[in-house]
C-alpha cells in the first residue's frame, strides 16, 4: 500500500504527521539566530606585536618582515597584508574558504613561535588571534555626565555596569570605548635634567628598581609565624616626587628636582564626547550564534534597570543599534511573505472558483514553509534576508504539487466519482508525476550549495531553503492534500457566480 492510500484511509495519521512538521518548524524558528546576511566570514588570522618605543621603520625591519617570512610558508594563504606603525606591527592573513580557521590559527602560531628567538628581546609576545565578523560591537551604549570625568565614568562602568550587561543572554563581552585609565604622569624638565646630568633612561631605571613589590618571605619561631611585606610600590604623586633618581657623591637627585609627578590618565591623545559632554561608550559584542534582535532587546531592558542606580548627572542612552536595521529588513521580508501568501490564495480561488478547493492548497503552503525552519535549524542556518527571500519565492513553488494533486482528484469527481474514490484513483495516476516534479526542482537549486566562492557561499542557505520547502511540499501533497480532498470536496461542485462567472466565460471565449 502506498503512502497516499494510507493517509487517505487514516486521516488522523496524516494530520498528526503534518502537525509534527509544523511543531518542529516552530521550535526551529524560535531558536534560529536572526542576522542581516548569512554567516560566510572568511578564515582570517591576525598577528599583533608591540615593540615599545620603536619607530615605524624599526618595527617594519626588525619585526614585521621577519614574521612575514615565517608565516608565508603556511598552507592555504589567500592574501597576506601587514601594517607597521609606531610601536605596533599588525599582520593579517586571509586563508582560502576551505581552510579550517582553527587549524590555520594553530599553524600561524607555530610559525610565529619558531622565529620568536630572532625577534628583539624588548617586544611583547606576539598575539595570534582569529578574527570574527561578530567580534565587533553590535550595540553601543553611551554614558555621559556633566559632573563626572571620563576616568570616574570608566571606573563606574568597570565596577557596576559591565558585569551586569555581560549576564544578558547572548552577550559575549563588553568593550569600553573612549575609556580613561588612571596613571601617574611624570613631567620632566629638560633644562633641569641637563643641569643634574640626568637622562630619561636614569628615570626609567629608577622606576624599575624602586617602585616594585617583591616577595619578602616570612619569619617564624617555635611559637609564631609572621609574613613580611615590603611596601616598595609607589602609589601617590608625593611618593613619586620623592623618588631617588640618582646619587651624585653625597648629593641625592630626586624626581622633584628634575620634574613633577601628577595624577593623570594613560592616554591623553583621545577624547570621547556625546552631545558636547565627556563620555565613554559601552560596546556590546554578541555570541556568534546569538539572535541579534533578542540580544539588543535584553541589553536595553538591562540598561533601563541600571539607570535608577546611577549617580546623579550620569545618563545612559543608545548611541548605535545594529538590530534596528536587521529588524526592519527582516520585518519587510515577513510582510512580503504575507502579501505573497495572500496573492497566491486569491489566484488559486479565482481559478478553482471554490472555497473548499482553495482551502486544500492554502493549508499546504504554511505547512511547507514552517516545516522548512526545522531543516534550517538542523543545518545551522539563520533567519536572514536571503533565506526569507527564498521562502517568498518558495510560496509560488510549494503550492504546485498540491494544485496538481487537487486538479487530478477534482477531474475524477467531475466524471462522476465520489470524493473518496476520486482521491484513490487520482493518487494512483499522479504520485509518480509529483515525485518527478519535486526531484527536478530540487536538482535545479541544490547545486548552488556546492559553490566554493564567497559569492556562491552567500546563496547556500538560499538554495537549501527553497529545496527544503519543495521536498516538504511534495510530502504534504502525498499525505495531507489527498486526505483533505477526499473529505472536503463535494461530489457536485457549485457553479461559479458573479465575477468568477464572467472570468470563466472570458476564458472559454479565448
Amino acid at each position: 500500500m502506498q503512502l497516499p492510500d494510507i493517509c487517505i484511509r487514516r486521516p488522523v495519521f496524516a494530520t498528526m504527521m503534518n502537525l509534527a512538521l509544523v511543531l518542529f518548524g516552530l521550535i526551529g524558528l524560535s531558536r534560529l539566530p536572526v542576522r542581516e546576511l548569512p554567516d560566510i566570514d572568511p578564515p582570517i588570522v591576525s598577528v599583533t606585536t608591540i615593540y615599545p618605543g620603536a619607530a615605524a621603520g624599526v618595527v617594519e625591519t626588525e619585526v614585521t618582515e621577519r614574521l612575514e617570512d615565517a608565516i608565508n610558508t603556511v598552507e592555504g594563504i589567500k592574501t597576506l597584508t601587514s601594517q607597521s606603525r609606531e610601536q605596533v606591527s599588525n599582520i593579517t592573513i586571509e586563508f582560502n574558504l576551505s581552510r579550517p580557521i582553527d587549524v590555520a590559527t594553530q599553524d600561524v602560531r607555530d610559525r610565529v613561535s619558531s622565529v620568536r628567538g630572532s625577534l628583539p628581546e624588548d617586544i611583547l609576545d606576539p598575539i595570534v588571534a582569529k578574527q570574527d565578523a561578530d567580534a565587533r560591537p553590535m550595540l553601543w551604549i553611551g554614558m555621559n555626565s556633566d559632573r563626572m570625568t571620563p576616568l570616574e565614568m570608566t571606573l563606574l562602568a568597570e565596577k557596576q555596569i559591565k558585569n551586569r550587561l555581560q549576564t544578558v543572554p547572548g552577550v559575549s563581552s563588553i568593550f569600553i570605548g573612549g575609556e580613561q585609565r588612571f596613571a601617574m604622569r611624570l613631567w620632566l624638565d629638560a633644562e633641569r635634567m641637563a643641569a643634574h646630568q640626568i637622562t630619561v633612561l636614569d628615570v626609567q631605571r629608577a622606576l624599575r628598581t624602586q617602585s616594585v613589590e617583591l616577595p619578602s618571605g616570612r619569619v617564624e619561631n617555635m611559637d609564631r609565624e609572621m609574613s613580611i611585606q615590603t611596601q616598595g610600590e609607589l602609589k601617590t604623586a608625593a611618593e613619586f616626587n620623592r623618588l631617588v633618581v640618582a646619587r651624585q657623591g653625597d648629593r641625592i637627585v630626586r624626581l622633584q628636582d628634575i620634574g613633577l609627578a601628577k595624577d593623570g590618565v594613560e592616554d591623553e591623545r583621545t577624547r570621547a564626547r556625546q552631545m558636547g559632554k565627556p563620555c565613554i561608550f559601552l560596546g556590546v559584542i554578541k555570541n556568534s550564534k546569538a539572535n541579534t534582535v533578542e540580544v539588543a532587546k535584553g541589553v536595553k531592558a538591562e540598561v533601563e534597570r541600571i539607570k535608577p542606580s546611577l549617580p546623579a548627572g550620569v545618563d545612559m542612552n543608545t548611541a548605535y543599534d545594529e538590530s534596528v536595521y536587521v529588524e526592519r529588513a527582516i520585518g519587510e521580508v515577513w510582510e512580503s511573505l504575507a502579501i505573497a501568501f495572500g496573492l497566491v490564495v486569491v489566484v488559486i480561488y479565482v481559478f478553482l472558483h471554490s472555497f473548499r478547493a482553495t482551502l486544500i492548497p492554502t493549508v499546504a503552503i504554511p505547512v511547507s514553509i514552517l516545516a522548512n525552519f526545522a531543516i534550517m535549524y538542523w543545518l545551522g542556518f539563520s533567519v536572514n534576508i536571503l533565506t526569507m527571500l527564498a521562502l517568498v519565492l518558495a510560496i509560488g513553488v510549494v503550492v504546485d504539487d498540491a494544485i496538481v494533486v487537487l486538479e487530478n482528484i477534482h477531474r475524477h469527481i467531475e466524471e462522476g466519482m465520489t470524493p473518496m474514490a476520486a482521491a484513490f484513483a487520482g493518487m494512483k495516476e499522479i504520485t509518480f508525476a509529483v515525485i518527478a516534479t519535486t526531484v527536478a526542482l530540487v536538482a535545479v537549486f541544490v547545486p548552488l550549495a556546492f559553490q566554493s566562492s564567497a559569492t556562491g557561499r552567500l546563496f547556500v542557505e538560499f538554495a537549501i531553503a527553497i529545496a527544503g520547502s519543495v521536498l516538504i511540499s511534495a510530502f504534504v501533497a502525498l499525505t495531507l492534500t489527498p486526505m483533505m480532498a477526499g473529505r472536503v470536496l463535494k461530489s457536485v461542485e457549485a457553479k461559479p457566480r458573479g465575477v468568477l462567472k464572467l472570468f470563466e466565460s472570458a476564458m472559454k471565449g479565448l
Side-chain angles (χ1 to χ4, degrees), residues 444-455:
V444 172
F445 292 104
V446 165
L448 285 175
F450 296 95
Q451 294 290 320
S452 58
S453 63
T455 304

Side-chain angles (χ1 to χ4, degrees), residues 341-366 399 402-403 406-407 410 480-481 484-485 488-490 493-494 500:
F341 176 74
L343 291 176
V344 168
V345 172
V346 170
V347 171
I348 293 174
Y349 177 74
V350 169
F351 280 90
L352 299 181
H353 50 73
S354 170
F355 284 108
R356 290 177 177 268
T358 304
L359 177 64
I360 297 173
T362 300
V363 172
I365 294 175
V399 77
I403 291 178
L406 175 64
E407 191 278 332
H410 188 271
L480 186 63
T481 300
M484 293 184 63
V488 174
L489 296 180
K490 291 184 177 181
E493 289 291 328
L500 298 181

Side-chain angles (χ1 to χ4, degrees), residues 62-214:
E62 296 295 326
V63 179
T64 304
E65 290 182 357
R66 297 180 183 181
L67 289 176
E68 284 181 342
D69 292 339
I71 296 172
N72 272 327
T73 60
V74 177
E75 179 185 358
I77 293 179
K78 182 179 180 181
T79 60
L80 188 149
T81 58
S82 63
Q83 182 183 26
S84 300
R85 60 184 189 274
E86 185 180 355
Q87 302 186 64
V88 180
S89 168
N90 196 311
I91 301 176
T92 303
I93 310 103
E94 179 180 351
F95 290 86
N96 297 324
L97 293 173
S98 58
R99 182 80 160 139
I101 182 63
D102 294 329
V103 176
T105 304
Q106 186 58 46
D107 288 345
V108 173
R109 188 175 289 113
D110 292 342
R111 297 299 191 281
V112 171
S113 299
S114 65
V115 297
R116 178 63 180 88
S118 62
L119 299 177
E121 296 182 357
D122 295 338
I123 68 167
L124 304 182
D125 288 336
I127 300 174
V128 180
K130 53 185 178 182
Q131 291 186 359
D132 186 359
D134 287 326
R136 57 181 176 81
M138 46 78 65
L139 180 69
W140 286 99
I141 304 297
M143 284 184 59
N144 62 76
S145 173
D146 51 4
R147 299 184 182 182
M148 300 180 66
T149 64
L151 179 62
E152 295 171 331
M153 286 190 290
T154 299
L155 185 61
L156 175 64
E158 282 281 355
K159 301 298 183 182
Q160 299 185 23
I161 300 175
K162 182 178 179 179
N163 293 336
R164 293 185 60 175
L165 294 181
Q166 284 180 331
T167 60
V168 176
V171 174
S172 173
S173 60
I174 302 296
F175 172 77
I176 301 181
E179 62 181 352
Q180 296 288 354
R181 303 287 182 178
F182 173 79
M184 187 64 64
R185 302 190 69 87
L186 307 182
W187 300 90
L188 302 179
D189 189 322
E191 295 182 356
R192 294 163 65 183
M193 291 177 63
H196 290 280
Q197 298 181 351
I198 300 295
T199 65
V200 176
L201 292 178
D202 294 331
V203 178
Q204 183 180 16
R205 189 181 305 109
L207 290 172
R208 288 180 176 178
T209 57
Q210 299 182 46
S211 180
V212 292
E213 290 283 356
L214 298 175

Side-chain angles (χ1 to χ4, degrees), residues 243-408:
L243 174 70
V244 177
V245 177
R247 297 178 183 272
Q248 299 175 346
D250 296 334
R251 187 167 60 91
I252 296 177
V253 179
R254 300 183 183 273
L255 180 64
Q256 61 188 4
D257 298 327
I258 59 173
L260 183 65
K262 289 185 178 180
D263 295 341
V265 295
E266 292 181 356
D267 186 6
E268 291 188 341
R269 295 182 295 177
T270 59
R271 289 287 187 271
R273 290 186 175 273
Q274 186 181 38
M275 296 181 290
K277 301 178 182 178
C279 74
I280 62 171
F281 292 98
L282 300 173
V284 179
I285 301 174
K286 70 179 185 69
N287 294 324
S288 59
K289 301 301 180 183
N291 189 320
T292 301
V293 177
E294 294 300 325
V295 171
K297 289 181 179 178
V299 171
K300 291 177 184 177
E302 185 65 27
V303 168
E304 294 300 321
R305 290 190 287 269
I306 292 175
K307 283 183 177 180
S309 62
L310 294 175
V314 178
D315 179 47
M316 293 184 67
N317 55 76
T318 303
Y320 170 78
D321 186 3
E322 182 180 298
S323 68
V324 173
Y325 308 102
V326 176
E327 193 171 12
R328 287 179 181 176
I330 300 299
E332 289 181 359
V333 181
W334 276 111
E335 292 178 5
S336 300
L337 190 64
I339 294 173
F341 176 74
L343 291 176
V344 168
V345 172
V346 170
V347 171
I348 293 174
Y349 177 74
V350 169
F351 280 90
L352 299 181
H353 50 73
S354 170
F355 284 108
R356 290 177 177 268
T358 304
L359 177 64
I360 297 173
T362 300
V363 172
I365 294 175
V367 174
S368 302
I369 297 299
L370 290 175
N372 191 46
F373 288 113
I375 297 178
M376 293 169 56
Y377 175 73
W378 179 60
L379 294 176
F381 292 167
S382 62
V383 175
N384 54 70
I385 294 177
L386 289 180
T387 53
M388 294 301 296
L389 175 61
L391 298 182
V392 172
L393 298 178
I395 284 183
V397 178
V398 299
V399 77
D400 291 349
D401 291 337
I403 291 178
V404 169
V405 171
L406 175 64
E407 191 278 332
N408 197 49

